[in-house]
Amino acid sequence: MACRSGSGPINEDNARFLLLALFIIIYLLCGAAVFSALEQPKEREANERWEQRFEHFSQKYNLSKKDLNNFLRNYEEANVAGIRVDTIRPRWDFTGAFYFVGTVVSTIGFGMTTPATIGGKVFLMFYGLLGCAATILFFNLFLERVITVIAVVLKSCHEHRHKKAALASNGQRVSEGNRAGGNGGERGEDLAGWKPSVYCVMFILGMAAIVVSCSASLMYSAAEGWDYLDSLYFCFVAFSTIGFGDMVSSQRAVYEGHATVAYRLGNFFFILTGVCCIYSLFNVISIVIKQVLNWLLRRLDAPCRCCFPRRGHHPHRHPRRNVVAPGHLRARRDPSIETDALNESETDNGRRMSGEMISMRDFLAANKVNLAIMQKQLSEMAIGHPRQSSSNSRQNGFSGGVGALGIMNNRLAETSVDR
């Protein structure tokens, strides 16, 4: 993948895309094999049991199989419209409709309630377009504030450990530091530039998601009568916005022994909090996956340096950025991952797309941002150092952000100044 071909070096972004696509395909194949082995015997058993019951019922009440099948199809249509065997709350009263639109904008989509009228289906297309976009923005802003809080807390702990270590030092080390003159300033600079680890942030978000899921499972087990493991399964399916619809909470008209209104409020709170936590965790895990892909690309690039030790540039081709090629074919730059995406998104061979609000190249580059950029921004926010572009951003009405959202806002501010 990383070797030079007849058409030139492979673009690093394309190589990363192909590697991720290969990983997803293998992951899907493995998942299909596991679920087929686990679930297929159960499906066959249920199918055989249903055929026996169908035959027995047809013979007992002297009904033709054709008439019975037609009746079952009619029930399936009623089931789609919200008619159930058990007594449930109305689907389309105000509270039921509010629950429905919540599953729409959060992209959960349980499927237990769907619009049946033409007007409802048309309205859903426009309603979901704006609602889903606004909710995704809310999730991004939630992620920004959660990581900001994590960065501030971890920085406070780091400063506390730093001060504790300084107080525990003996008098000789203190006197040596005074004679050195600049060591104290260097320590202050190191402390100011400290950033939390991506793995630490991922661990904290993972623990928060586990705590929310376990707490919600206790509530669902008590209120819905589900097993605790089934409740955990529901929490993951709902919080990750997969939303199979095989298990749906808060569907009874009245909950015996429980305050119905309080339970529905708790259900709304846990779903909102859980979706935000899992969304944030997914974003951080995707950054770790990208780091692993970058590591694999570097490992794949290493044999090419042995295969092509001293080959120059192609006579009719200019070197491109982000190519997986031998090291001498690329201009060496700072390997820091903090500035990699910024360099890619802000420059294009010295040209700036000032005539456009945002170019497709900048949009794609913004989506490649890793957590190091977020850590840098959040660290500056935590220590109180203002960013250079903050004044221009505020003047032009674009606020700073985290990750891809922050870079797009910065680019919009820059292009507005150019215009």
Side-chain angles (χ1 to χ4, degrees):
M1 182 181 295
C3 293
R4 185 183 180 89
S5 61
S7 60
I10 300 178
N11 185 279
E12 183 177 352
D13 297 334
N14 294 335
R16 187 185 297 109
F17 172 78
L18 294 175
L19 191 61
L20 181 59
L22 179 62
F23 167 75
I24 292 176
I25 292 174
I26 295 176
Y27 194 76
L28 292 175
L29 293 175
C30 294
V34 172
F35 280 109
S36 178
L38 292 175
E39 300 296 334
Q40 192 175 25
K42 183 73 173 180
E43 180 187 21
R44 292 174 178 173
E45 180 182 352
N47 189 26
E48 293 175 358
R49 186 166 56 249
W50 167 249
E51 290 180 354
Q52 293 176 359
R53 291 178 177 176
F54 185 85
E55 184 71 23
H56 181 267
F57 187 87
S58 176
Q59 294 177 359
K60 181 178 180 180
Y61 295 97
N62 194 19
L63 296 174
S64 66
K65 294 183 179 180
K66 182 178 179 180
D67 294 338
L68 189 55
N69 281 325
N70 291 333
F71 177 78
L72 293 175
R73 290 192 185 96
N74 293 332
Y75 175 73
E76 288 179 353
E77 294 177 359
N79 195 12
V80 171
I83 306 302
R84 301 292 190 275
V85 175
D86 299 328
T87 302
I88 57 175
R89 71 179 191 184
R91 296 293 187 185
W92 292 110
D93 62 350
F94 183 79
T95 56
F98 183 81
Y99 192 87
F100 166 74
V101 296
T103 62
V104 170
V105 299
S106 62
T107 70
I108 296 176
F110 285 122
M112 81 291 183
T113 304
T114 55
T117 62
I118 299 298
K121 294 178 181 179
V122 173
F123 178 73
L124 176 63
M125 298 178 189
F126 296 96
Y127 185 84
L129 181 65
L130 180 61
C132 293
T135 306
I136 291 174
L137 176 61
F138 173 80
F139 290 157
N140 279 301
L141 297 179
F142 178 86
L143 173 61
E144 176 182 344
R145 278 145 185 79
V146 166
I147 300 182
T148 301
V149 172
I150 293 175
V152 171
V153 173
L154 292 179
K155 185 176 178 60
S156 300
C157 297
H158 182 74
E159 290 176 349
H160 179 72
R161 290 195 301 267
H162 187 272
K163 293 178 181 179
K164 187 176 181 180
L167 293 175
S169 60
N170 53 32
Q172 182 179 358
R173 300 175 75 182
V174 173
S175 61
E176 290 177 356
N178 293 332
R179 288 196 298 269
N183 291 341
E186 293 178 358
R187 289 181 179 179
E189 294 177 358
D190 294 339
L191 188 61
W194 180 86
K195 298 182 293 294
S197 170
V198 59
Y199 303 104
C200 185
V201 174
M202 182 176 66
F203 174 77
I204 294 175
L205 289 175
M207 293 302 299
I210 291 175
V211 170
V212 172
S213 299
C214 292
S215 301
S217 298
L218 291 174
M219 183 186 71
Y220 293 133
S221 297
E224 302 288 350
W226 298 337
D227 294 335
Y228 188 77
L229 184 59
D230 291 337
S231 300
L232 280 176
Y233 161 79
F234 166 77
C235 289
F236 176 78
V237 171
F239 297 166
S240 61
T241 70
I242 296 174
F244 288 127
D246 54 342
M247 300 176 66
V248 182
S249 62
S250 186
Q251 295 302 299
R252 300 180 189 174
V254 178
Y255 286 86
E256 298 179 0
H258 301 276
T260 304
V261 176
Y263 170 65
R264 289 178 178 173
L265 291 176
N267 178 55
F268 175 79
F269 170 78
F270 275 119
I271 289 181
L272 177 63
T273 307
V275 170
C276 290
C277 291
I278 296 295
Y279 176 86
S280 304
L281 183 61
F282 283 170
N283 275 273
V284 177
I285 292 176
S286 66
I287 294 166
V288 175
I289 292 175
K290 182 181 177 182
Q291 291 181 351
V292 174
L293 293 176
N294 292 335
W295 176 80
L296 290 176
L297 289 177
R298 288 194 298 269
R299 295 296 300 269
L300 293 174
D301 188 30
C304 291
R305 295 191 177 95
C306 301
C307 299
F308 306 97
R310 289 296 178 184
R311 294 187 181 181
H313 297 285
H314 193 279
H316 302 291
R317 191 185 302 272
H318 295 286
R320 296 179 295 171
R321 297 183 299 110
N322 293 334
V323 293
V324 181
H328 65 279
L329 293 180
R330 294 181 296 183
R332 295 296 181 182
R333 63 177 180 177
D334 185 7
S336 174
I337 58 177
E338 298 179 3
T339 59
D340 181 64
L342 287 175
N343 292 333
E344 295 175 2
S345 63
E346 294 181 357
T347 62
D348 184 7
N349 296 329
R351 294 182 288 109
R352 186 177 297 276
M353 307 294 290
S354 59
E356 300 177 359
M357 187 171 67
I358 184 169
S359 65
M360 181 58 68
R361 186 185 190 92
D362 294 330
F363 179 78
L364 294 175
N367 287 319
K368 300 185 303 177
V369 180
N370 51 40
L371 189 61
I373 295 177
M374 289 193 287
Q375 292 172 347
K376 182 179 179 180
Q377 295 174 352
L378 294 172
S379 178
E380 292 174 353
M381 294 168 59
I383 63 179
H385 292 321
R387 290 176 289 180
Q388 295 179 355
S389 61
S390 60
S391 60
N392 295 333
S393 299
R394 294 190 184 96
Q395 292 174 1
N396 293 280
F398 299 103
S399 60
V402 172
L405 184 63
I407 286 188
M408 291 182 65
N409 286 337
N410 293 336
R411 288 292 297 142
L412 290 171
E414 293 172 0
T415 52
S416 66
V417 171
D418 294 334
R419 290 196 301 271

